[in-house]
Amino acid sequence: MNSQLACVTMLTDFGLSDETVACCKGVLLSKGLNLPIIDISHEVPPFDIISGGWILAGALPFMPLGAHLAVVDPGVGTERKIVILHVQRGDFLVGPDNGLLMEAARRLGGIKKAWSVCMERSGFKKISSTFHARDIMAPVVGDLGLGIPPSTLGEEIEEKALIDYPLAEPKQENGKITGSVAYIDAYGTVRTNILWRSLKGNVKNLKISSSWLFSIPVGRTFADVAKGDLVILEDSWGYVSIAINQGRASDLLGSKPGDPISVEFTM
Amino acid sequence: MNSQLACVTMLTDFGLSDETVACCKGVLLSKGLNLPIIDISHEVPPFDIISGGWILAGALPFMPLGAHLAVVDPGVGTERKIVILHVQRGDFLVGPDNGLLMEAARRLGGIKKAWSVCMERSGFKKISSTFHARDIMAPVVGDLGLGIPPSTLGEEIEEKALIDYPLAEPKQENGKITGSVAYIDAYGTVRTNILWRSLKGNVKNLKISSSWLFSIPVGRTFADVAKGDLVILEDSWGYVSIAINQGRASDLLGSKPGDPISVEFTM
Amino acid sequence: MNSQLACVTMLTDFGLSDETVACCKGVLLSKGLNLPIIDISHEVPPFDIISGGWILAGALPFMPLGAHLAVVDPGVGTERKIVILHVQRGDFLVGPDNGLLMEAARRLGGIKKAWSVCMERSGFKKISSTFHARDIMAPVVGDLGLGIPPSTLGEEIEEKALIDYPLAEPKQENGKITGSVAYIDAYGTVRTNILWRSLKGNVKNLKISSSWLFSIPVGRTFADVAKGDLVILEDSWGYVSIAINQGRASDLLGSKPGDPISVEFTM
């Protein structure tokens, strides 16, 4: 079923300073896994499911088939489920059931089957109250990477029982499209969940939260506008982003993940 | 003897911005090593042997058998020894003889044999005055990973000749246990070297350095107390830690690695 | 031709927080590459070709033969070339034609052949305007790692058509040598491009930009001078560096990459 898996990936909000990420990798290797382990990011802003889910979704389409471990888990220690998603492309995604995995699953063709991990079935060792990534999720990913079927690790659940990605799909009406800020990158560029190709005709005005910005220029790269000027452009994943040439758009606009954003255009 | 090694790990205080970590990995690969190389952390606070040693000890029990390179080395360029420790579990630990490796060695069952690396025996190339990780320690780890016996790399030394981990074992007396701060994590959580299971009965009061804090609540997770409140809890490695829900306990308490800490409890 | 390649390395100014580095690695794995991928640094100061080129040059001599991807690319989206350099040692270097690769190529014996990547030849998928590392360079590195000859990926160009590394070779005259600041490390140590062995006799005075510093002591390590004092010493790659024991020389001296620096010495 998954003999074709070619990698394991990891995304967390653990940071790189302590031993938490390494502990998870140690668990994977201790299982006998011999796939390459690729770090997507361990610097997701703490507990930020929107940002973590967006980065995960930006990375996985460029990965070969894999078992993907994603952990941004404000609910660790509560009753939230830990889930395994098998997607149309063939990958497995493992993480908390809080929406983190859902945008990535959608971009890999959608969910084929989902399981809720059963603590009883899986032969886990001692489980700590706050480090389920190491004690539950990494062992599950290791097992999947070894070809163990997910049905032996959890109970099948319906897709509609899963918690969705926090950002709603953008809505379009009369030359205006409204979506959300999905991620602020290290340069302060505001990445949105509005598909670039959904902008018909000429982009005119931009509404960030409740303020309108008029006649923002559209560019192909940052350098298409003068230093310090705002520019709206297609990001490297096909979505609308707003940047300042050699400046931080997020600081000027006061944007953060989850904020509404609207674009007006003329046909 | 070490044909069963399954990984090489690295822990340093080099940071990730320059080429120092990569140079060490290049040396390992150039030796022909083909084990996975796992980064434990390269963001140990500079020269902080207590923190580095504690993180190493937290990671290694979750790794498969390996050759482990750990470098926090304020004495580089002085007469301090470079040592190879062979532990009961079967791993090799390589690093400066300054206590950095000792807590990890203890958690892997204790030291079976130890060697002091001999510059003469090992066929090293040019050795710089300040980068022994690249010029001496990485070649030693590479050799161990290839199955070369440590006796050809150094001279056997007695365990009692080794410098110990800086933190003393916690001491217990009359319903009070006194240990040390071992690590401040990225969230400001104060991790101590006091085993959670050594607290008998109910935890009552906490003494940080010379100040008493009365009736700190015991929780299972941060979220068991109100936002901004202190909580004492078991960390993911079985030790006592002190946190603030959505705040930085280390800032409030002024704690740093090495500080004494006492816990009173009632039977 | 390149069946002996033993690794792929990566150096970028992308940072580690978002999914950009992982996307490149995903492209490499998706090509079927099964060489170890070593990160040299992803924390090159943004757009800083001098620093990036210097770090790359410090790392590659310690790597086994490889295909090396280096991306510090302020000109992305403009007409700048993407080049493949085949060096005397046998490695391939891939990156933008802006001087970034040139110092490393020099230290690996110099350039044997160079190619400019042809978009037409290479069977690329959709190419974004701002992420050529993922869309062009990583596929090229993957192909080289698989043994595909560079002549099928680009058009041969002459070495003299390539843009050089921004720092000129140091110049020597009458007991004085003048070079440049090449890199400021995480500790504020000022690394220069002046070879230590080019200092004849006794080092006397140091000129940083336009200010003279007299009688700086020469040390073997930082600790050879008192806390807070300046020291001039040989760095771990054989070049002149200026440090402050437990302080930041770059802050005191106001140095940045590219600044001129002169050393006077007496025979």
Side-chain angles (χ1 to χ4, degrees):
Chain A
M1 170 180 214
N2 43 5
S3 58
Q4 77 263 33
L5 296 186
C7 69
V8 162
T9 72
M10 279 187 74
L11 172 137
T12 73
D13 61 353
F14 297 165
L16 291 169
S17 51
D18 68 19
E19 74 273 52
T20 43
V21 170
C23 285
C24 297
K25 292 182 181 173
V27 168
L28 291 168
L29 294 183
S30 297
K31 284 265 180 189
L33 186 89
N34 71 348
L35 297 173
I37 303 172
I38 302 294
D39 297 302
I40 293 175
S41 173
H42 299 292
E43 295 180 351
V44 173
F47 308 142
D48 183 345
I49 294 166
I50 295 174
S51 293
W54 196 255
I55 295 175
L56 187 71
L60 294 194
F62 293 93
M63 294 290 153
L65 280 198
H68 309 291
L69 172 59
V71 190
V72 177
D73 192 11
V76 65
T78 69
E79 293 295 301
R80 65 91 187 78
K81 292 187 197 83
I82 291 170
V83 291
I84 305 168
L85 309 183
H86 188 39
V87 296
Q88 292 296 340
R89 198 180 76 162
D91 306 70
F92 292 98
L93 281 63
V94 176
D97 175 33
N98 60 18
L100 178 70
L101 310 174
M102 299 299 273
E103 175 68 16
R106 201 183 57 73
R107 291 204 213 165
L108 297 177
I111 294 170
K112 223 150 90 176
K113 275 195 179 183
W115 297 263
S116 174
V117 173
C118 293
M119 307 307 160
E120 300 72 27
R121 290 199 194 180
S122 319
F124 295 122
K125 299 186 189 159
K126 185 170 177 280
I127 295 173
S128 65
S129 10
T130 49
F131 199 0
H132 291 181
R134 179 193 67 192
D135 299 335
I136 305 174
M137 299 183 225
V140 164
V141 169
D143 284 345
L144 293 169
L146 293 169
I148 292 174
S151 56
T152 68
L153 302 168
E155 291 208 356
E156 199 173 334
I157 54 172
E158 288 188 62
E159 184 177 341
K160 67 180 181 205
L162 295 166
I163 292 174
D164 217 342
Y165 184 60
L167 299 185
E169 287 283 300
K171 272 179 202 144
Q172 189 153 352
E173 39 158 0
N174 304 331
K176 189 174 107 177
I177 190 160
T178 299
S180 307
V181 173
Y183 186 65
I184 309 295
D185 81 9
Y187 297 89
T189 297
V190 176
R191 290 168 56 180
T192 79
N193 71 339
I194 301 172
L195 275 169
W196 185 259
R197 64 168 186 265
S198 68
L199 306 182
K200 314 288 185 207
N202 295 314
V203 170
K204 231 176 40 179
N205 301 316
L206 193 67
K207 189 182 185 184
I208 307 280
S209 297
S210 56
S211 314
W212 280 99
L213 294 164
F214 298 106
S215 310
I216 305 246
V218 174
R220 223 171 43 88
T221 75
F222 309 138
D224 285 346
V225 296
K227 186 177 163 177
D229 278 3
L230 276 168
V231 58
I232 180 167
L233 70 176
E234 181 179 3
D235 75 14
S236 306
W237 295 264
Y239 292 85
V240 172
S241 66
I242 302 114
I244 290 178
N245 186 15
Q246 299 175 51
R248 296 185 61 85
S250 60
D251 291 352
L252 182 76
L253 303 173
S255 296
K256 59 182 193 309
D259 284 354
I261 185 164
S262 302
V263 187
E264 279 191 336
F265 43 86
T266 51
M267 305 299 278
Chain B
M1 171 180 215
N2 43 4
S3 57
Q4 76 263 34
L5 296 186
C7 70
V8 163
T9 72
M10 278 187 75
L11 172 137
T12 74
D13 61 352
F14 297 164
L16 291 168
S17 52
D18 69 19
E19 74 273 51
T20 43
V21 170
C23 284
C24 297
K25 293 181 181 173
V27 167
L28 291 168
L29 294 182
S30 296
K31 285 264 178 190
L33 186 89
N34 72 349
L35 297 173
I37 302 172
I38 302 295
D39 296 302
I40 293 175
S41 172
H42 298 292
E43 295 180 353
V44 173
F47 307 142
D48 183 345
I49 295 165
I50 295 174
S51 293
W54 196 254
I55 296 174
L56 187 70
L60 294 194
F62 294 93
M63 295 290 153
L65 279 200
H68 308 291
L69 173 58
V71 191
V72 177
D73 192 12
V76 65
T78 68
E79 294 294 303
R80 66 91 186 79
K81 293 187 198 81
I82 292 170
V83 292
I84 305 169
L85 309 183
H86 189 38
V87 297
Q88 291 297 341
R89 198 181 76 163
D91 306 70
F92 292 98
L93 281 64
V94 175
D97 175 32
N98 60 18
L100 178 70
L101 311 174
M102 299 298 274
E103 175 68 15
R106 201 182 58 73
R107 291 205 214 164
L108 296 177
I111 294 170
K112 220 148 91 177
K113 273 195 181 184
W115 297 263
S116 173
V117 173
C118 292
M119 307 307 160
E120 300 71 29
R121 290 198 194 178
S122 322
F124 295 122
K125 298 184 190 162
K126 186 170 177 278
I127 295 173
S128 66
S129 11
T130 49
F131 199 0
H132 291 181
R134 178 193 68 193
D135 299 335
I136 304 173
M137 298 182 226
V140 164
V141 169
D143 284 345
L144 293 169
L146 292 169
I148 291 174
S151 56
T152 67
L153 301 168
E155 290 206 358
E156 198 174 335
I157 54 172
E158 288 187 62
E159 185 179 340
K160 66 180 183 207
L162 296 165
I163 292 174
D164 216 342
Y165 184 60
L167 298 186
E169 288 283 299
K171 272 179 202 143
Q172 190 152 352
E173 40 159 359
N174 304 333
K176 189 173 109 176
I177 191 160
T178 299
S180 307
V181 173
Y183 186 66
I184 309 294
D185 80 9
Y187 297 88
T189 298
V190 176
R191 289 168 58 182
T192 79
N193 72 339
I194 301 172
L195 275 168
W196 185 260
R197 66 167 184 265
S198 67
L199 306 183
K200 313 292 185 205
N202 296 314
V203 170
K204 229 176 42 180
N205 301 315
L206 194 67
K207 188 180 184 184
I208 306 280
S209 297
S210 55
S211 314
W212 280 98
L213 295 164
F214 297 106
S215 310
I216 307 243
V218 174
R220 224 171 44 89
T221 75
F222 309 138
D224 286 345
V225 295
K227 186 177 164 176
D229 279 1
L230 276 168
V231 59
I232 180 166
L233 69 176
E234 182 178 3
D235 75 14
S236 307
W237 295 265
Y239 292 85
V240 172
S241 66
I242 302 114
I244 291 178
N245 186 15
Q246 298 176 54
R248 296 186 60 85
S250 61
D251 291 352
L252 182 75
L253 303 174
S255 295
K256 58 182 193 309
D259 283 355
I261 186 164
S262 301
V263 188
E264 279 191 334
F265 44 87
T266 50
M267 304 300 276
Chain C
M1 172 180 213
N2 43 4
S3 56
Q4 78 262 34
L5 296 186
C7 70
V8 162
T9 72
M10 280 188 73
L11 172 137
T12 75
D13 61 351
F14 297 165
L16 291 168
S17 51
D18 69 18
E19 74 273 51
T20 43
V21 170
C23 285
C24 296
K25 292 182 182 173
V27 167
L28 291 169
L29 293 182
S30 297
K31 284 264 178 187
L33 186 88
N34 71 350
L35 297 173
I37 303 172
I38 302 294
D39 296 302
I40 293 175
S41 173
H42 298 292
E43 295 180 352
V44 173
F47 307 142
D48 183 345
I49 295 165
I50 295 175
S51 293
W54 197 255
I55 295 174
L56 187 70
L60 294 194
F62 293 93
M63 295 288 154
L65 281 199
H68 308 291
L69 173 58
V71 191
V72 177
D73 192 11
V76 65
T78 68
E79 294 293 302
R80 66 92 186 78
K81 293 186 198 81
I82 291 170
V83 292
I84 304 169
L85 309 183
H86 189 39
V87 296
Q88 293 296 340
R89 198 181 75 163
D91 307 69
F92 292 98
L93 281 63
V94 175
D97 175 32
N98 61 17
L100 178 70
L101 311 174
M102 299 299 271
E103 175 67 16
R106 201 183 58 72
R107 290 204 214 165
L108 297 176
I111 295 169
K112 220 149 94 179
K113 275 195 181 185
W115 298 264
S116 173
V117 173
C118 292
M119 307 306 161
E120 300 73 27
R121 290 198 194 181
S122 321
F124 295 122
K125 300 186 188 158
K126 185 170 178 281
I127 294 173
S128 66
S129 8
T130 50
F131 199 2
H132 291 181
R134 178 193 65 192
D135 300 335
I136 304 173
M137 299 182 226
V140 164
V141 169
D143 284 345
L144 293 169
L146 292 169
I148 292 174
S151 56
T152 67
L153 302 167
E155 291 207 357
E156 199 174 333
I157 55 172
E158 288 188 63
E159 185 179 338
K160 67 181 181 205
L162 295 165
I163 292 174
D164 216 341
Y165 183 61
L167 298 185
E169 288 282 299
K171 270 177 202 146
Q172 189 153 352
E173 40 158 1
N174 303 333
K176 188 173 110 176
I177 189 159
T178 300
S180 306
V181 173
Y183 186 65
I184 309 293
D185 80 10
Y187 298 89
T189 297
V190 176
R191 290 168 56 180
T192 79
N193 72 340
I194 301 172
L195 275 168
W196 185 260
R197 65 167 186 265
S198 67
L199 305 183
K200 312 291 186 205
N202 296 313
V203 170
K204 230 176 41 179
N205 301 314
L206 194 68
K207 191 182 184 184
I208 307 279
S209 296
S210 55
S211 313
W212 280 99
L213 294 165
F214 297 107
S215 310
I216 307 246
V218 174
R220 222 171 45 89
T221 74
F222 308 139
D224 286 344
V225 295
K227 186 176 164 178
D229 278 2
L230 275 168
V231 58
I232 179 166
L233 69 176
E234 181 178 2
D235 74 13
S236 307
W237 294 265
Y239 292 85
V240 172
S241 66
I242 302 113
I244 291 178
N245 185 16
Q246 299 176 52
R248 296 185 61 83
S250 61
D251 291 352
L252 181 76
L253 303 173
S255 295
K256 59 181 193 309
D259 284 354
I261 185 164
S262 302
V263 188
E264 277 190 336
F265 43 87
T266 51
M267 304 300 275

Coordinates of all heavy atoms in Angstrom, one line a residue, chain C residues 210-259:
Chain C
S210 N 39.1 53.6 7.6 CA 40.1 54.7 7.6 C 40.7 54.9 9.0 O 41.5 55.8 9.1 CB 39.4 56.0 7.1 OG 38.3 56.3 7.9
S211 N 40.4 54.1 10.0 CA 41.0 54.3 11.3 C 42.1 53.3 11.6 O 42.0 52.1 11.3 CB 39.9 54.1 12.4 OG 38.8 54.8 12.0
W212 N 43.2 53.8 12.1 CA 44.3 52.9 12.5 C 44.1 52.5 14.0 O 43.7 53.2 14.8 CB 45.7 53.6 12.4 CG 46.1 53.6 11.0 CD1 46.0 54.6 10.1 CD2 46.8 52.6 10.3 NE1 46.5 54.3 8.9 CE2 47.0 53.0 9.0 CE3 47.1 51.3 10.7 CZ2 47.6 52.2 8.0 CZ3 47.7 50.4 9.7 CH2 48.0 50.9 8.4
L213 N 44.4 51.2 14.2 CA 44.5 50.6 15.5 C 45.9 50.2 15.7 O 46.4 49.5 14.9 CB 43.6 49.4 15.6 CG 42.1 49.7 15.5 CD1 41.3 48.4 15.3 CD2 41.6 50.4 16.8
F214 N 46.5 50.7 16.8 CA 47.9 50.4 16.9 C 48.2 49.3 17.9 O 47.6 49.1 18.9 CB 48.6 51.7 17.4 CG 48.5 52.8 16.4 CD1 47.7 53.9 16.6 CD2 49.2 52.7 15.2 CE1 47.5 54.8 15.7 CE2 49.1 53.7 14.2 CZ 48.2 54.8 14.5
S215 N 49.2 48.5 17.5 CA 49.7 47.4 18.4 C 48.7 46.5 18.9 O 48.6 46.2 20.1 CB 50.5 48.1 19.6 OG 51.4 49.0 19.1
I216 N 47.9 46.0 18.0 CA 46.9 44.9 18.4 C 47.7 43.7 18.7 O 48.6 43.3 17.9 CB 46.0 44.6 17.2 CG1 45.3 45.9 16.7 CG2 45.0 43.6 17.7 CD1 43.9 45.9 16.9
P217 N 47.4 43.0 19.8 CA 48.2 41.8 20.1 C 47.7 40.7 19.1 O 46.6 40.6 18.7 CB 47.8 41.5 21.5 CG 46.5 42.2 21.8 CD 46.5 43.4 20.9
V218 N 48.7 39.8 18.8 CA 48.4 38.6 18.0 C 48.2 37.5 19.0 O 49.0 37.3 19.9 CB 49.6 38.3 17.1 CG1 49.3 37.0 16.4 CG2 49.7 39.4 16.1
G219 N 47.1 36.7 18.8 CA 46.9 35.6 19.7 C 46.6 34.3 18.9 O 46.5 34.3 17.7
R220 N 46.6 33.2 19.7 CA 46.3 31.9 19.1 C 44.8 31.6 19.3 O 44.2 31.1 18.4 CB 47.1 30.8 19.7 CG 47.7 29.8 18.7 CD 48.7 28.9 19.5 NE 48.1 28.5 20.7 CZ 47.4 27.4 20.9 NH1 47.1 26.6 19.9 NH2 46.9 27.1 22.1
T221 N 44.2 32.1 20.4 CA 42.8 32.0 20.6 C 42.3 33.3 21.3 O 43.1 34.1 21.8 CB 42.4 30.8 21.6 OG1 42.8 31.2 22.9 CG2 43.2 29.5 21.2
F222 N 41.0 33.5 21.3 CA 40.4 34.6 22.0 C 41.0 34.8 23.4 O 41.2 36.0 23.8 CB 38.9 34.5 22.1 CG 38.2 34.1 20.8 CD1 37.2 33.2 20.8 CD2 38.6 34.7 19.6 CE1 36.6 32.8 19.7 CE2 38.0 34.3 18.5 CZ 36.9 33.4 18.5
A223 N 41.1 33.7 24.1 CA 41.5 33.7 25.5 C 42.9 34.2 25.8 O 43.3 34.4 26.9 CB 41.2 32.4 26.1
D224 N 43.6 34.5 24.7 CA 45.0 35.0 24.9 C 45.1 36.4 25.3 O 46.1 36.9 25.6 CB 45.9 34.7 23.6 CG 46.2 33.3 23.4 OD1 46.1 32.5 24.4 OD2 46.6 32.9 22.3
V225 N 43.9 37.1 25.2 CA 43.9 38.5 25.7 C 42.9 38.6 26.8 O 42.1 37.7 27.0 CB 43.6 39.5 24.6 CG1 44.7 39.5 23.5 CG2 42.2 39.2 24.0
A226 N 42.9 39.8 27.6 CA 42.0 40.0 28.7 C 40.6 40.2 28.1 O 40.4 40.5 26.9 CB 42.4 41.2 29.5
K227 N 39.6 39.9 28.9 CA 38.2 40.1 28.6 C 38.0 41.5 28.1 O 38.4 42.5 28.7 CB 37.3 39.8 29.8 CG 35.9 39.9 29.5 CD 35.0 39.5 30.7 CE 33.6 39.9 30.5 NZ 32.7 39.6 31.6
G228 N 37.4 41.6 26.9 CA 37.1 43.0 26.3 C 38.2 43.5 25.4 O 38.0 44.5 24.8
D229 N 39.3 42.8 25.4 CA 40.4 43.3 24.5 C 40.3 42.7 23.1 O 39.9 41.6 22.9 CB 41.8 42.9 25.1 CG 42.2 43.9 26.2 OD1 41.4 44.8 26.5 OD2 43.3 43.7 26.8
L230 N 40.8 43.5 22.2 CA 40.9 43.1 20.8 C 42.1 42.2 20.6 O 43.1 42.3 21.3 CB 41.1 44.3 19.9 CG 39.9 45.1 19.4 CD1 40.4 46.4 18.8 CD2 39.1 44.3 18.4
V231 N 42.0 41.2 19.7 CA 43.1 40.3 19.3 C 43.0 40.0 17.8 O 41.9 39.9 17.3 CB 43.0 39.0 20.2 CG1 41.7 38.3 20.0 CG2 44.2 38.1 19.9
I232 N 44.1 39.9 17.2 CA 44.2 39.5 15.8 C 44.7 38.1 15.8 O 45.6 37.7 16.5 CB 45.0 40.5 15.0 CG1 45.1 40.0 13.5 CG2 46.4 40.6 15.5 CD1 45.7 41.2 12.6
L233 N 43.9 37.2 15.0 CA 44.3 35.8 15.1 C 44.0 35.1 13.8 O 43.3 35.6 12.9 CB 43.7 35.1 16.3 CG 42.2 34.8 16.4 CD1 42.0 34.0 17.6 CD2 41.4 36.0 16.4
E234 N 44.6 33.9 13.6 CA 44.3 33.1 12.4 C 43.0 32.4 12.6 O 42.8 31.7 13.6 CB 45.5 32.1 12.2 CG 45.2 31.2 11.0 CD 46.4 30.2 10.7 OE1 47.3 30.2 11.5 OE2 46.3 29.5 9.7
D235 N 42.1 32.5 11.7 CA 40.8 31.8 11.8 C 41.0 30.3 11.4 O 42.1 29.9 11.0 CB 39.7 32.5 11.1 CG 39.7 32.4 9.6 OD1 40.4 31.5 9.0 OD2 39.0 33.1 8.9
S236 N 39.9 29.6 11.5 CA 40.0 28.1 11.3 C 40.2 27.7 9.8 O 40.2 26.6 9.5 CB 38.8 27.4 11.9 OG 38.7 27.8 13.2
W237 N 40.2 28.8 8.9 CA 40.4 28.5 7.5 C 41.7 29.1 7.0 O 41.9 29.1 5.8 CB 39.2 29.1 6.7 CG 37.9 28.3 7.1 CD1 37.4 27.3 6.4 CD2 37.1 28.6 8.2 NE1 36.2 26.9 7.1 CE2 36.0 27.7 8.2 CE3 37.1 29.5 9.3 CZ2 35.0 27.6 9.1 CZ3 36.1 29.5 10.2 CH2 35.0 28.5 10.1
G238 N 42.5 29.7 7.9 CA 43.8 30.2 7.5 C 43.8 31.6 7.1 O 44.8 32.1 6.5
Y239 N 42.8 32.4 7.5 CA 42.7 33.8 7.2 C 42.8 34.6 8.5 O 42.6 34.1 9.6 CB 41.4 34.1 6.5 CG 41.4 33.5 5.1 CD1 41.0 32.2 4.9 CD2 41.8 34.2 4.0 CE1 41.0 31.6 3.6 CE2 41.8 33.7 2.7 CZ 41.4 32.4 2.5 OH 41.4 31.8 1.3
V240 N 43.1 35.9 8.3 CA 43.2 36.9 9.4 C 41.8 37.2 9.9 O 40.9 37.5 9.1 CB 43.9 38.2 8.9 CG1 43.8 39.3 10.0 CG2 45.3 37.9 8.5
S241 N 41.7 37.1 11.2 CA 40.4 37.6 11.8 C 40.7 38.5 13.0 O 41.7 38.4 13.6 CB 39.5 36.4 12.2 OG 40.1 35.7 13.2
I242 N 39.7 39.3 13.4 CA 39.8 40.2 14.5 C 38.7 39.9 15.4 O 37.5 39.9 15.0 CB 39.8 41.7 14.1 CG1 41.0 41.9 13.1 CG2 40.0 42.6 15.3 CD1 40.6 42.3 11.7
A243 N 39.0 39.7 16.7 CA 38.0 39.3 17.7 C 38.2 40.1 18.9 O 39.2 40.8 19.1 CB 38.1 37.8 18.0
I244 N 37.2 40.1 19.8 CA 37.3 40.6 21.2 C 37.0 39.5 22.1 O 36.0 38.8 21.9 CB 36.3 41.8 21.4 CG1 36.7 43.0 20.6 CG2 36.2 42.1 22.9 CD1 35.8 44.2 20.8
N245 N 37.8 39.2 23.0 CA 37.6 38.2 24.0 C 36.2 38.5 24.8 O 36.1 39.5 25.4 CB 38.7 38.0 25.0 CG 38.6 36.9 25.9 OD1 37.7 36.0 25.7 ND2 39.3 36.8 27.0
Q246 N 35.2 37.6 24.5 CA 33.9 37.8 25.2 C 33.2 39.1 24.8 O 32.4 39.6 25.6 CB 34.0 37.6 26.7 CG 34.5 36.2 27.1 CD 34.7 36.1 28.6 OE1 33.7 36.4 29.4 NE2 35.8 35.6 29.0
G247 N 33.5 39.6 23.6 CA 32.8 40.8 23.1 C 32.6 40.7 21.6 O 33.0 39.7 21.0
R248 N 32.1 41.7 21.0 CA 31.8 41.7 19.6 C 32.7 42.7 18.9 O 32.4 43.9 18.9 CB 30.3 42.1 19.3 CG 29.3 41.0 19.9 CD 27.9 41.3 19.5 NE 27.8 41.3 18.0 CZ 27.6 40.2 17.3 NH1 27.5 39.1 17.9 NH2 27.5 40.3 16.0
A249 N 33.7 42.2 18.2 CA 34.7 43.1 17.5 C 33.9 43.9 16.4 O 34.2 45.1 16.2 CB 35.8 42.3 16.9
S250 N 33.0 43.3 15.7 CA 32.3 44.0 14.6 C 31.5 45.2 15.1 O 31.5 46.2 14.4 CB 31.3 43.0 13.9 OG 30.3 42.6 14.8
D251 N 31.0 45.1 16.3 CA 30.3 46.3 16.9 C 31.3 47.4 17.2 O 31.0 48.6 16.9 CB 29.5 45.9 18.1 CG 28.3 45.0 17.8 OD1 28.1 44.8 16.6 OD2 27.7 44.5 18.8
L252 N 32.4 47.1 17.9 CA 33.4 48.1 18.2 C 33.9 48.7 17.0 O 34.1 50.0 16.9 CB 34.5 47.4 19.0 CG 35.6 48.4 19.5 CD1 35.1 49.2 20.7 CD2 36.9 47.7 19.9
L253 N 34.2 47.9 16.0 CA 34.9 48.5 14.8 C 34.0 49.0 13.8 O 34.4 49.6 12.8 CB 35.8 47.4 14.2 CG 36.9 46.7 15.2 CD1 37.5 45.5 14.5 CD2 37.9 47.8 15.6
G254 N 32.7 48.7 13.9 CA 31.7 49.1 12.9 C 31.9 48.5 11.6 O 31.7 49.1 10.5
S255 N 32.5 47.3 11.6 CA 32.8 46.6 10.3 C 31.6 45.9 9.7 O 30.8 45.3 10.4 CB 33.9 45.5 10.6 OG 35.1 46.2 11.0
K256 N 31.6 45.8 8.4 CA 30.7 45.0 7.6 C 31.3 44.4 6.4 O 32.4 44.9 5.9 CB 29.4 45.9 7.3 CG 29.7 47.1 6.4 CD 28.5 47.9 6.1 CE 28.8 48.9 5.0 NZ 30.0 49.7 5.3
P257 N 30.7 43.4 5.9 CA 31.3 42.7 4.7 C 31.6 43.7 3.6 O 30.8 44.5 3.3 CB 30.3 41.7 4.3 CG 29.6 41.3 5.6 CD 29.5 42.6 6.3
G258 N 32.8 43.6 3.0 CA 33.2 44.5 1.9 C 34.1 45.7 2.4 O 34.7 46.3 1.5
D259 N 34.1 46.0 3.7 CA 34.9 47.1 4.2 C 36.4 46.8 3.9 O 36.8 45.6 4.1 CB 34.7 47.3 5.7 CG 33.4 48.0 6.0 OD1 32.7 48.4 5.0 OD2 33.0 48.1 7.2

